[in-house]
Amino acid sequence: MAVWIMTVFLGSAFITSASEAFWVSDLDLGKMEQSWGQPGVNKSVVGAPLSIGGKKFEHGVGTHAISVLRIRLEGHGDRFTAQVGLDDDIGQCPASLIFKVEGDSKILFNSGVMKTGEAAQPVAVDLSGVKVLSLLVEATGNDISCNHADWADAKITMREGKPVTTMYPSEPPVVLTPKPPRTPRINGAEIIGVRPGSPFLFTIPATGERPITFAVSGLPAGLTVDPQTGRITGVLTNQGSYTVTFLAKNELGTNRRSFKIVCGNTLSLTPPMGWNSWNCFGCDVSDAKVRAAADAMVSSGLINHGWTYINIDDCWEGGRDANGNIIPNSKFPDMKALTDYVHAKGLKIGIYSSPGPKTCGGNEGSYQHEEQDARQFARWGFDYLKYDWCSYGNIAPNPTLEQMKQPYQVMHAALERQPRDIVYSLCQYGMGDVWKWGASVEGNCWRTGIDIVDTWTSVSGIGFDQVGREQYAGPGHWNDPDMLVVGQVGWGSNIRPTRLTVNEQFTHISLWALLDAPLFIGCDMTKLDDFTLGLLSNDEVLAVNQDSLGRQAARVSVDGVLEVWAKDMADGSKVAGLFNRGENDATVTLNWYDLGLTGKQNVRDLWRQKNLGIFNGQFQAKVGRHGVVLVQLTPAE
Ligand code: GLA
């Protein structure tokens, strides 16, 4: 601790004020949250002397990203100074970290990505007025074994009082989604696209006490509905748009809803919704696990909210037979039997391949077998293909734009010739700004970036990075920020609960809904808990994603770590997400002006499905750390 005397001449009087400096390493670091180990006091996280870029430091805190230290200053702080960087104790291990300093909801310092061996960056920020100071280290790399981060020489100068470390209150997993009524209610998309001649399958998603009987009026010739299951099947031969009315009835009541069937060339008129095996099972996927996911989609009731696809990701492939036909590995003994099983539940099923010779998991890809594979996928009965670049990088290193498009055009042409509708999902991690041309190669969706993992850095980094891409999405062609990481995930045999906090999970689902993202549940469907089920079964939130207008949300305002994203809905209303990316609770303001609105608006909280009242000009909400308030605005007059 050191005391500086500051003497200021003011008019004819001399005022003397003392400011006191505190080493951060002297504070109670038991409140520091970090993804591995314990904070090092004047040492690195593994107890080595603090050292950044070859320079040693006597004072400081060594931590392991992802980490956050929250310090109460109550507005009495003066300055924070430090030298930040990766500790030399990691040797050559490749790590990339971002150091951030936040004062309440303002970003005071951002180091940008720092890598192994780089010299320390100096930090010097003014703390005037700051109530809570947050020191954050985020990890951007995939190797999480050496994220050793140092806040060297970290010192807080106070005008009065002492800095006190504090933790964000724990967030109980409260289910906000109200239980659906016992009376029938038809949910999900209000439109579907199908090609002439393709088998049609659509299950009317409806909540309410069973038994429910279904009927459809105005159904075009070629289609029939099963009154017990609400499943519509058949084949349409003529192009055209058919408006029908669904009816669902039980002992307690009846519900009707208008629905449009568009027979033409465009599939996925709303973002596809379903489950994918990758984020939970990785290469540990099997026929039995896929069947179990389909079973759970029905038994959990999620099918009644519009969830449709059961998609197998990588690691189903065996090799090729003597005729070059792709064959599954021993974990998938009978693909046709598997697709029949899933279809018999009223669900659809997807598969995965690569335009390269090998997939990302090193399995057989479709290179030079595109036509044959498309035919096989259709024969087996698949309804969705995720086509993942991976080893195509060996065929076309440093590809031109044309070379990036080419393999996707080849597979599309092959899919188009099949007598089934196969939704086409491009996966090449955003290369060549794929959002600008994904639709031109007939992709129904395209991944816009790297693989998601269940951390705040990953989810917020990917989600909030979608700024400006809204102009490229629309019915039949969607930006895909990757699959969901709520529930029990793990990419292999070690399934564990998501590392996202409660608020972060609400942000994840709300943002993906606003972004019109394909929604693929990435968790073990057999281990759904009530909280996760609540996240995935809120019909008002899902309706934001499935809205027929297909207008992806844009970011309409940014104020430090506070952001508002909003989208137009088909009924003329607007939906806005008030997000707090910061470390502390904050008030987020939604201004009508930013949405092009005027006058009085009804504001409805979509997670709670509750009207909040009539507001004029603006709406403000208190939003927790990394949290969201999702509202819908409809004119009050
Ligand atoms: C890539 C994709 C993932 C997953 C794996 C499978 O990493 O981005 O979504 O499909 O390949 O190997």
Side-chain angles (χ1 to χ4, degrees):
M1 191 196 307
V3 178
W4 284 275
I5 305 294
M6 233 162 61
T7 309
V8 182
F9 181 71
L10 249 182
S12 58
F14 285 95
I15 298 172
T16 303
S17 79
S19 57
E20 201 175 337
F22 297 84
W23 293 116
V24 172
S25 48
D26 287 342
L27 305 180
D28 170 12
L29 299 179
K31 303 243 164 60
M32 188 160 196
E33 296 165 55
Q34 55 184 49
S35 56
W36 182 86
Q38 299 300 321
V41 178
N42 303 323
K43 294 267 188 280
S44 80
V45 70
V46 291
L50 292 170
S51 173
I52 306 172
K55 190 170 170 208
K56 298 267 186 300
F57 297 87
E58 221 177 287
H59 289 102
V61 177
T63 185
H64 192 286
I66 304 161
S67 87
V68 54
L69 181 63
R70 210 173 279 105
I71 307 166
R72 289 203 166 282
L73 308 176
E74 304 302 356
H76 303 314
D78 182 21
R79 273 172 88 67
F80 170 74
T81 53
Q83 301 279 331
V84 298
L86 285 72
D87 197 281
D88 293 327
D89 69 10
I90 59 174
Q92 302 297 313
C93 181
S96 39
L97 307 178
I98 301 173
F99 292 77
K100 284 186 185 163
V101 179
E102 276 178 32
D104 303 323
S105 58
K106 298 269 176 294
I107 302 163
L108 305 178
F109 172 82
N110 182 334
S111 69
V113 175
M114 292 189 73
K115 294 196 184 292
T116 308
E118 273 179 30
Q121 275 194 48
V123 185
V125 298
D126 179 11
L127 298 177
S128 305
V130 171
K131 291 199 176 70
V132 181
L133 173 73
S134 303
L135 308 182
L136 298 143
V137 194
E138 297 175 353
T140 62
N142 286 329
D143 187 339
I144 53 155
S145 61
C146 54
N147 291 336
H148 300 188
D150 293 342
W151 294 93
D153 278 351
K155 191 169 31 184
I156 296 168
T157 315
M158 299 290 286
R159 294 202 177 92
E160 58 179 279
K162 289 186 172 149
V164 178
T165 59
T166 174
M167 281 178 96
Y168 191 83
S170 74
E171 298 162 17
V174 176
V175 178
L176 298 183
T177 304
K179 284 227 173 317
R182 293 167 63 206
T183 49
R185 190 180 66 200
I186 298 163
N187 305 305
E190 294 175 340
I191 190 164
I192 193 173
V194 59
R195 293 188 312 159
S198 293
F200 185 92
L201 172 62
F202 180 80
T203 304
I204 301 171
T207 46
E209 238 166 57
R210 263 51 187 182
I212 293 182
T213 48
F214 295 89
V216 182
S217 61
L219 209 52
L223 299 184
T224 54
V225 63
D226 178 324
Q228 261 76 53
T229 59
R231 233 169 270 164
I232 304 170
T233 52
V235 176
L236 288 176
T237 39
N238 298 324
Q239 298 226 357
S241 179
Y242 308 92
T243 300
V244 302
T245 304
F246 291 161
L247 183 137
K249 192 174 172 189
N250 70 7
E251 264 188 346
L252 302 162
T254 303
N255 186 226
R256 281 187 182 78
R257 201 191 208 199
S258 174
F259 188 86
K260 211 183 225 181
I261 300 169
V262 184
C263 184
N265 286 321
T266 314
L267 306 178
S268 275
L269 294 178
T270 65
M273 284 174 69
W275 172 85
N276 172 293
S277 59
W278 186 250
N279 291 352
C280 45
F281 302 131
C283 275
D284 218 30
V285 65
S286 66
D287 173 287
K289 284 176 177 160
V290 174
R291 284 175 193 240
D295 292 348
M297 191 65 97
V298 177
S299 63
S300 65
L302 284 176
I303 189 174
N304 303 329
H305 302 276
W307 298 93
T308 302
Y309 291 93
I310 298 292
N311 288 359
I312 309 167
D313 206 278
D314 201 356
C315 302
W316 63 268
E317 311 86 341
R320 295 193 180 272
D321 67 14
N323 298 320
N325 292 315
I326 186 125
I327 46 174
N329 61 32
S330 59
K331 291 186 292 171
F332 289 88
D334 187 341
M335 277 299 194
K336 181 71 176 68
L338 177 58
T339 67
D340 284 348
Y341 182 86
V342 172
H343 288 145
K345 293 185 171 284
L347 297 165
K348 294 183 176 176
I349 181 163
I351 197 157
Y352 166 100
S353 192
S354 170
K358 295 284 174 210
T359 66
C360 296
N363 300 299
E364 190 69 24
S366 292
Y367 183 58
Q368 293 184 333
H369 290 275
E370 295 83 0
E371 187 75 34
Q372 209 173 3
D373 286 0
R375 216 178 307 128
Q376 183 62 277
F377 299 154
R379 231 187 272 132
W380 276 334
F382 283 102
D383 308 296
Y384 193 106
L385 173 67
K386 173 172 166 183
Y387 207 44
D388 192 354
W389 177 269
C390 262
S391 71
Y392 199 82
N394 301 334
I395 308 295
N398 308 313
T400 61
L401 198 57
E402 278 320 302
Q403 286 173 314
M404 281 181 210
K405 293 181 181 177
Q406 206 254 346
Y408 286 100
Q409 286 162 332
V410 170
M411 184 48 98
H412 174 259
L415 291 176
E416 204 178 25
R417 284 189 278 272
Q418 305 314 312
R420 292 191 70 78
D421 291 351
I422 300 183
V423 170
Y424 190 32
S425 157
L426 277 45
C427 179
Q428 46 82 291
Y429 341 112
M431 278 188 307
D433 293 352
V434 62
W435 43 91
K436 295 183 180 156
W437 52 267
S440 76
V441 299
E442 309 288 341
N444 293 116
C445 53
W446 46 81
R447 275 271 297 282
T448 55
I450 55 169
D451 289 20
I452 199 167
V453 291
D454 57 327
T455 63
W456 174 243
T457 318
S458 173
V459 170
S460 65
I462 293 173
F464 293 110
D465 195 37
Q466 305 302 318
V467 179
R469 302 202 181 134
E470 60 278 2
Q471 57 187 299
Y472 304 107
H477 51 277
W478 310 101
N479 288 307
D480 177 4
D482 207 359
M483 302 172 290
L484 303 176
V485 283
V486 300
Q488 303 252 345
V489 293
W491 293 267
S493 51
N494 293 321
I495 307 284
R496 50 162 174 78
T498 180
R499 290 175 288 176
L500 297 179
T501 66
V502 166
N503 284 349
E504 290 166 359
Q505 296 184 60
F506 280 111
T507 290
H508 184 20
I509 304 296
S510 305
L511 188 52
W512 264 237
L514 281 163
L515 291 171
D516 287 1
L519 295 179
F520 281 93
I521 301 172
C523 69
D524 184 341
M525 295 288 292
T526 66
K527 296 192 171 79
L528 285 165
D529 56 277
D530 286 350
F531 176 73
T532 310
L533 215 43
L535 284 173
L536 300 173
S537 62
N538 191 309
D539 296 302
E540 295 195 19
V541 174
L542 294 174
V544 176
N545 179 265
Q546 293 295 301
D547 185 65
S548 332
L549 193 60
R551 199 65 70 72
Q552 177 179 327
R555 188 171 72 185
V556 298
S557 80
V558 193
D559 173 11
V561 292
L562 312 179
E563 300 190 7
V564 177
W565 291 64
K567 71 173 280 187
D568 296 336
M569 299 285 285
D571 66 0
S573 68
K574 310 253 185 195
V575 173
L578 285 66
F579 294 96
N580 173 8
R581 298 178 66 176
E583 290 303 312
N584 303 290
D585 295 356
T587 300
V588 185
T589 304
L590 165 64
N591 286 307
W592 283 197
Y593 176 82
D594 292 330
L595 304 185
L597 290 176
T598 52
K600 293 182 180 161
Q601 301 284 328
N602 286 306
V603 177
R604 182 168 174 84
D605 179 327
L606 294 185
W607 278 108
R608 293 177 178 80
Q609 302 185 357
K610 216 169 93 186
N611 293 331
L612 299 176
I614 295 174
F615 293 79
N616 204 346
Q618 62 166 221
F619 168 76
Q620 291 190 311
K622 191 175 160 198
V623 185
R625 167 189 190 246
H626 300 174
V628 63
V629 169
L630 186 67
V631 293
Q632 185 157 25
L633 273 63
T634 44
E637 279 100 27

